[in-house]
Amino acid sequence: MESALGAGIAMAEALQNQLPWLENVWLWVTFLGDPKSLFLFYFPAAYYASRRVGIAVLWISIITEWLNLVFKWLLFGDRPFWWVHESGYYSQAPAQVHQFPSSCETGPGSPSGHCMITGAALWPIMTAISSQVATRAHSRWVRVIPSLAYCTFLLAVGLSRVFLLAHFPHQVLAGLITGAVLGWLMAPRVPMERELSFYGLTSLALLLGASLIYWTLFTLGLDLSWSISLASKWCERPEWVHMDSRPFASLSRDSGAALGLGIALHSPCYAQQAHIWR
Ligand SMILES: O=P(O)(O)OC[C@H]1O[C@@H](O)[C@H](O)[C@@H](O)[C@@H]1O
């Protein structure tokens, strides 16, 4: 296992030292692939274009981010930025890698959330654009552009995570595969018109479900804050350890977004707008 992780560090070394001019590109790509961007940018943009696709993006983001949190708790994956120091693997010849302001994620590393959550949530956008293109374009090459763009973007997100020392390549691969499978499975099953209690109960279930898993693992003697201690210990600058990368920050976002979606869809203001649109 150590040599596989070492190969991941060698890949990060190559990305950082052989292609230094791409640094800003990787930082931008990681920002665009951040699960937070799904809630802040992709969901509103998709909703503006199509209500159904917008709700699918938000719903899939909520559920896959929650699943990603649970997978991370169960898989105990190291992050490269602390593993290079903690493992002792580089005590003789230090690795030629450095950290960035967005390297110091405090959650465990496996699977990559950027790849898994963003991969799943962008699936409905990709399929919606694909079907639009298919009705207009006759060329097979034009029709594959949306799926090609989806794959290229996610591959770039994966490479950016390796470049930043946030993930090992196998964690990126696990995130990419899980994200695409979840996107494919969930996109046709997104609940569209449900009563407010459905959203309230989903919000509560996400909150209580994660808390129950956390306390069960904690009672079994597992320390789930191990990654926060390692991130704080090995991050080059304390100000790079961001509170919103903590596992419970994403849980609050998911639970709040599920309830917020229900309240918004049942608000008189929304009903009035929906009436005008019809
Ligand atoms: O697992 P990754 O790719 O580091 O990404 C997941 C994390 O990305 C962070 O930027 C978010 O703030 C977190 O909430 C999220 O959990």
Side-chain angles (χ1 to χ4, degrees):
M1 188 64 187
E2 284 220 325
S3 57
L5 299 185
I9 300 292
M11 189 172 164
E13 259 180 328
L15 286 168
Q16 289 192 3
N17 302 317
Q18 316 273 324
L19 308 164
W21 44 277
L22 275 180
E23 180 178 317
N24 281 332
V25 174
W26 297 132
L27 295 176
W28 263 102
V29 169
T30 224
F31 168 76
L32 292 173
D34 193 314
K36 282 194 291 273
S37 300
L38 292 166
F39 294 82
L40 292 174
F41 308 118
Y42 297 101
F43 157 62
Y47 191 92
Y48 182 75
S50 153
R51 177 178 172 273
R52 193 187 55 79
V53 176
I55 293 178
V57 170
L58 186 60
W59 187 256
I60 296 176
S61 304
I62 293 170
I63 304 298
T64 52
E65 186 162 64
W66 187 90
L67 285 174
N68 184 258
L69 172 68
V70 175
F71 289 165
K72 280 177 169 152
W73 278 342
L74 297 175
L75 293 175
F76 291 89
D78 280 305
R79 300 252 184 193
F81 78 89
W82 72 60
W83 186 82
V84 279
H85 304 289
E86 196 70 19
S87 63
Y89 200 68
Y90 295 94
S91 48
Q92 306 298 325
Q96 299 301 308
V97 285
H98 60 277
Q99 299 174 5
F100 295 86
S102 44
S103 295
C104 303
E105 296 278 359
T106 57
S110 202
S112 160
H114 278 63
C115 295
M116 176 178 152
I117 305 160
T118 305
L122 293 187
W123 187 273
I125 299 186
M126 184 270 286
T127 50
I129 298 176
S130 287
S131 57
Q132 284 292 321
V133 171
T135 55
R136 281 156 215 210
H138 298 296
S139 157
R140 187 191 294 173
W141 297 108
V142 177
R143 287 188 201 177
V144 295
I145 289 176
S147 2
L148 215 61
Y150 169 85
C151 295
T152 312
F153 175 62
L154 285 167
L155 199 67
V157 172
L159 287 174
S160 75
R161 304 304 288 156
V162 174
F163 170 85
L164 286 171
L165 300 179
H167 289 295
F168 289 101
H170 69 277
Q171 300 172 337
V172 161
L173 196 67
L176 291 174
I177 296 172
T178 321
V181 171
L182 285 172
W184 174 68
L185 285 174
M186 291 177 71
R189 297 176 176 81
V190 170
M192 287 292 158
E193 302 281 347
R194 300 297 288 265
E195 55 285 4
L196 182 56
S197 58
F198 171 80
Y199 297 95
L201 287 174
T202 304
S203 168
L204 204 64
L206 294 175
L207 209 58
L208 294 181
S211 308
L212 189 71
I213 294 170
Y214 182 91
W215 286 110
T216 308
L217 295 173
F218 184 76
T219 317
L220 291 174
L222 300 172
D223 171 22
L224 294 181
S225 57
W226 66 278
S227 59
I228 302 178
S229 320
L230 285 175
S232 312
K233 182 176 171 192
W234 292 115
C235 189
E236 269 169 31
R237 297 202 203 166
E239 65 270 25
W240 288 354
V241 182
H242 303 291
M243 281 293 282
D244 67 357
S245 75
R246 292 207 173 199
F248 274 96
S250 52
L251 179 60
S252 338
R253 175 164 58 219
D254 301 334
S255 173
L259 184 61
L261 177 65
I263 293 174
L265 292 177
H266 287 85
S267 75
C269 178
Y270 175 80
Q272 207 177 0
Q273 281 301 319
H275 184 69
I276 294 168
W277 293 329
R278 275 178 208 136

